[in-house]
Amino acid sequence: MIRQPHSDDQSVPRWSLYACSHMDFRILGPVEVLHDDRVLPLGGPKQRAVLALLIARAGSLITTDALIDGVYGEDASEGSRRSIHTYISNLRGLVGDLIQTSGAGYQLDVDRRSVDWQRFEDDVAAADKAGDPHRTARALRDALALWRGHAYADVDGCTSLETEINPLEELRMRGLEERLDAELAGGNHGEVLAELESLAAEYPLRERFRAQHMIALYRSGRQAEALRACEKTRSYLIDELGIDPSPDLQRLEQQILTQDPALAAVPLPRIVRTTILVADLDPAAVATLGPDRRDKAVAAHDEMIEDAVIRHGGEVFAVRGTAAYASFARTDQAVATAGSILPGSEGGGVQILRIAIDTGDTEDDGDGRITGPPVRRGAN
């Protein structure tokens, strides 16, 4: 935890009064530091470059000499070291003791989740272990959303950052390729077709984008266009680089030509966060009713529930015995449904319905069959 200055300490810059151990350091785009979603003023170009270098080495020491070289390069002078110390002092006024002096240099001492590029690395690695294409695609979409532009977009002339930028950009491309692989594996070829067409044109040397584009075309019933995309790729590689397509691309072209069944999309259940409502008759309560009231209450049960579910934006997806199962995109919809059902579910002054609501990840096979922990818990 950062030592907080007293508010009556007039020697402390005003912004340091907001310093705390939870800040967001961002370089996947323009360099920013956020505190409670408020962007802090980082000063001029050279001071921003010092901060960028600290963020690039977050958790590790960067020497003063390395900072001088990164910020000034061949223009370094006798006063450069003093200027670096001034910039560090100013930045400490913003972020406090998160910038620590260590030996012959400085270190930005923050948790990896507080640095966007480290969080991106971790999230891409974790997405590989999701085990389900829908979960993987969703995790990679969230990770890629951390990018706001090119890394260190507003830091000019800092050659030391070039060795940081290229691996990050490559990881971004790989994360995008893996996300699109997951989208295709999950049957979302139609949804990503336009995106893949754009990426294949923007990055013509990335064969994986071109292959994904061909697969998406083929699975969308556009075999002829997929074959034309194969030929376009071959022509580009021969004309621009003097090489043939890779064996993988040649094999994919043959699969498209012969309509290889292995290339067909495999429908998979979609993982969706859903609120489940289960409404069931309470046997003990129903038993207390006379025959006439019991038959009337039970007969009205299904129609009343379905009407309330539809009215509040849900869908009844199953009826098992006397229990009706409904799904909702939001919890408040299910709660409102329950609130509208219960007053009308009394038979002779006796509450005859039991209602359970649960939220979590469910699997939707596309044919209206929804399964998963919330359904099981609601049934119990």
Side-chain angles (χ1 to χ4, degrees):
M1 179 68 68
I2 291 178
R3 172 183 57 80
Q4 297 289 338
H6 295 295
S7 59
D8 59 354
D9 185 351
Q10 298 302 313
S11 66
V12 177
R14 177 173 60 88
W15 279 97
S16 69
L17 301 178
Y18 298 96
C20 71
S21 60
H22 181 67
M23 289 188 176
D24 193 13
F25 293 83
R26 309 165 87 184
I27 57 83
L28 300 179
V31 176
E32 289 182 346
V33 179
L34 273 65
H35 172 242
D36 292 339
D37 295 326
R38 185 172 187 175
V39 179
L40 301 185
L42 301 180
K46 287 186 169 52
Q47 185 165 297
R48 297 175 71 87
V50 170
L51 178 62
L53 288 164
L54 288 168
I55 298 174
R57 308 287 203 284
S60 302
L61 172 72
I62 179 168
T63 66
T64 304
D65 289 340
L67 288 172
I68 293 172
D69 183 61
V71 174
Y72 294 98
E74 295 180 355
D75 296 329
S77 65
E78 292 183 2
S80 297
R81 185 173 300 270
R82 184 169 58 254
S83 296
I84 293 294
H85 292 322
T86 299
Y87 295 143
I88 291 290
S89 178
N90 292 341
L91 290 169
R92 276 182 170 154
L94 296 175
V95 305
D97 294 339
L98 292 179
I99 299 177
Q100 297 185 353
T101 302
S102 178
Y106 303 95
Q107 177 175 320
L108 182 63
D109 187 19
V110 290
D111 182 84
R112 288 181 65 86
R113 302 303 295 176
S114 297
V115 181
D116 64 350
W117 72 264
Q118 293 181 335
R119 189 159 70 248
F120 177 69
E121 279 190 341
D122 294 344
D123 289 352
V124 169
D128 290 340
K129 303 172 184 176
D132 171 88
H134 300 300
R135 292 180 189 271
T136 298
R138 184 171 63 199
L140 288 170
R141 279 195 297 269
D142 291 343
L144 289 161
L146 293 171
W147 286 78
R148 297 166 292 114
H150 293 294
Y152 305 99
D154 59 346
V155 180
D156 298 324
C158 189
T159 56
S160 297
L161 289 175
E162 290 300 322
T163 57
E164 311 294 334
I165 292 173
N166 293 335
L168 281 174
E169 291 289 350
E170 179 57 31
L171 181 60
R172 181 188 191 181
M173 288 294 100
R174 195 168 78 244
L176 184 54
E177 289 169 341
E178 290 175 0
R179 193 213 101 209
L180 290 164
D181 273 343
E183 300 277 16
L184 291 172
N188 295 337
H189 42 272
E191 289 88 338
V192 299
L193 184 53
E195 180 182 6
L196 282 167
E197 183 174 2
S198 176
L199 288 169
E202 184 177 359
Y203 302 99
L205 296 180
R206 296 193 78 92
E207 288 194 359
R208 196 165 170 185
F209 285 148
R210 288 182 173 266
Q212 290 168 331
H213 182 220
M214 297 170 199
I215 292 171
L217 283 169
Y218 179 78
R219 291 180 178 174
S220 299
R222 297 159 65 175
Q223 181 188 16
E225 291 178 63
L227 289 170
R228 281 197 294 272
C230 294
E231 183 56 37
K232 184 177 179 180
T233 297
R234 174 181 285 102
S235 298
Y236 180 87
L237 292 174
I238 292 174
D239 292 345
E240 296 295 324
L241 301 177
I243 61 174
D244 289 320
S246 68
D248 286 343
L249 272 181
Q250 294 182 48
R251 187 160 46 250
L252 174 60
E253 181 180 25
Q254 186 64 25
Q255 286 181 294
I256 293 172
L257 186 63
T258 61
Q259 299 184 357
D260 188 340
L263 209 56
V266 178
L268 295 172
R270 297 182 64 87
I271 305 298
V272 183
R273 189 158 185 84
T274 311
T275 295
I276 300 296
L277 179 148
V278 181
D280 195 7
L281 291 171
D282 184 342
V286 172
T288 65
L289 303 177
D292 291 341
R293 290 202 305 272
R294 180 169 60 244
D295 292 344
K296 184 181 296 185
V298 171
H301 163 260
D302 291 343
E303 183 178 350
M304 176 184 63
I305 291 174
E306 184 168 10
D307 178 68
V309 168
I310 294 173
R311 193 166 65 250
H312 290 92
E315 179 182 3
V316 175
F317 63 88
V319 176
R320 299 165 187 165
T322 58
Y325 293 74
S327 62
F328 298 85
R330 303 195 317 268
T331 302
D332 63 315
Q333 295 172 308
V335 172
T337 301
S340 67
I341 289 174
L342 289 175
S345 64
E346 293 185 355
V350 178
Q351 181 57 253
I352 64 171
L353 270 186
R354 299 177 299 183
I355 294 179
I357 297 174
D358 202 298
T359 298
D361 286 344
T362 61
E363 293 185 3
D364 185 345
D365 67 359
D367 291 325
R369 288 185 292 272
I370 298 176
T371 59
V375 179
R376 294 193 295 272
R377 289 193 294 263
N380 294 329

